[in-house]
Amino acid sequence: MHSAKPLPTFLLQRYQGWKATTYAENSAWYRRLANEGQRPRTMVISCCDSRVHVTSIFGADQGEFFIHRNIANLVPPFAPGGDHHGTSAAVEYAVTVLEVAHVVVLGHSRCGGVQGCVDMCEGRAPELEEETSFVGRWMDILRPKYEQVADIEDETEKTRRLEQLGVVASLENLMTFPFVEQRVNDGTLSIHGLWTDIAEGTMSQFVNGMDEFQPV
């Protein structure tokens, strides 16, 4: 038996407002997008966190970004198999079908997923250690980076640094995908790592040669 219910009133009213204003004023553009298909230049991999609003941060219009969101904006390593691979499928589609020119991994401050990884690594989250924990097994992608922050005493700084290392881990894992590596090497694709402070509205980017994040 299906358990789906009608939309709550506040969401229905917001949709109706959008349809009567934004859509009505730009209907030709929406029809063009529908008929001609999407041609985004950039894929953005960001966190599910509701405070991270990618299109607002970059002032993007509909059709500009191919956006994939998951817990802690992580990219797993290339691992073909019989399991479900939502993030890997999104990367494959963006790179091989849409042929985006850029892939951006966007991390952020106060990330609950990264904090969960810290807690798990320090023995404070036994529930995440359970094999049945989807979040815990997903955060295993980041877990190897914890040893680089284990000795940091300030908890806020420890989590912030692991958030940034999560971006680095995702960049490293992206390069394990053969079709990503090939396009990066031939110059048709570039990958980028960003971290944003939600409270301050600041942005830092990963500088590969310097192996650190620098303000933009």
Side-chain angles (χ1 to χ4, degrees):
M1 178 180 293
H2 296 294
S3 58
K5 296 181 179 180
L7 275 177
T9 302
F10 79 95
L11 288 180
L12 184 60
Q13 290 175 339
R14 287 187 182 186
Y15 160 71
Q16 291 170 338
W18 171 83
K19 184 70 185 300
T21 55
T22 301
Y23 176 82
E25 294 166 4
N26 301 278
S27 59
W29 170 245
Y30 285 105
R31 289 193 176 95
R32 180 178 174 182
L33 282 175
N35 294 332
E36 297 182 6
Q38 60 171 325
R39 292 193 295 271
R41 289 191 299 171
T42 303
M43 177 187 192
V44 180
I45 300 169
S46 68
C47 186
C48 295
D49 195 303
S50 61
R51 299 167 296 177
V52 181
H53 200 236
V54 174
T55 52
S56 293
I57 291 173
F58 293 104
D61 291 325
Q62 195 154 345
E64 284 193 62
F65 287 165
F66 185 77
I67 300 174
H68 177 74
R69 304 182 72 149
N70 63 41
I71 298 297
N73 44 264
L74 293 173
V75 175
F78 180 72
D83 296 326
H84 298 292
H85 299 293
T87 297
S88 300
V91 171
E92 179 184 43
Y93 189 79
V95 174
T96 67
V97 178
L98 298 177
E99 297 183 334
V100 296
H102 309 280
V103 176
V104 176
V105 179
L106 175 62
H108 69 97
S109 61
R110 307 283 178 164
C111 181
V114 174
Q115 184 61 59
C117 185
V118 172
D119 293 340
M120 182 171 61
C121 291
E122 296 183 351
R124 296 193 298 268
E127 70 281 3
L128 295 181
E129 298 281 8
E130 298 292 333
E131 283 300 316
T132 54
S133 172
F134 295 114
V135 173
R137 302 296 60 74
W138 182 249
M139 296 315 298
D140 284 342
I141 298 170
L142 178 58
R143 197 166 189 161
K145 293 292 185 184
Y146 173 77
E147 63 183 36
Q148 297 184 37
V149 304
D151 294 334
I152 299 177
E153 295 184 0
D154 183 273
E155 289 299 318
T156 299
E157 174 62 19
K158 177 185 291 185
T159 303
R160 181 193 67 82
R161 181 56 183 153
L162 192 57
E163 289 162 356
Q164 294 180 342
L165 287 173
V167 173
V168 175
S170 291
L171 295 176
E172 293 171 348
N173 288 340
L174 275 171
M175 290 298 289
T176 67
F177 288 75
F179 48 84
V180 171
E181 182 184 31
Q182 177 186 341
R183 286 165 173 79
V184 169
N185 289 339
D186 67 22
T188 59
L189 176 69
S190 60
I191 60 176
H192 313 270
L194 300 175
W195 179 86
T196 182
D197 187 310
I198 294 173
E200 301 299 326
T202 54
M203 185 85 71
S204 300
Q205 64 180 339
F206 181 67
V207 181
N208 196 38
M210 301 177 65
D211 201 31
E212 62 180 18
F213 282 77
Q214 294 287 329
V216 300

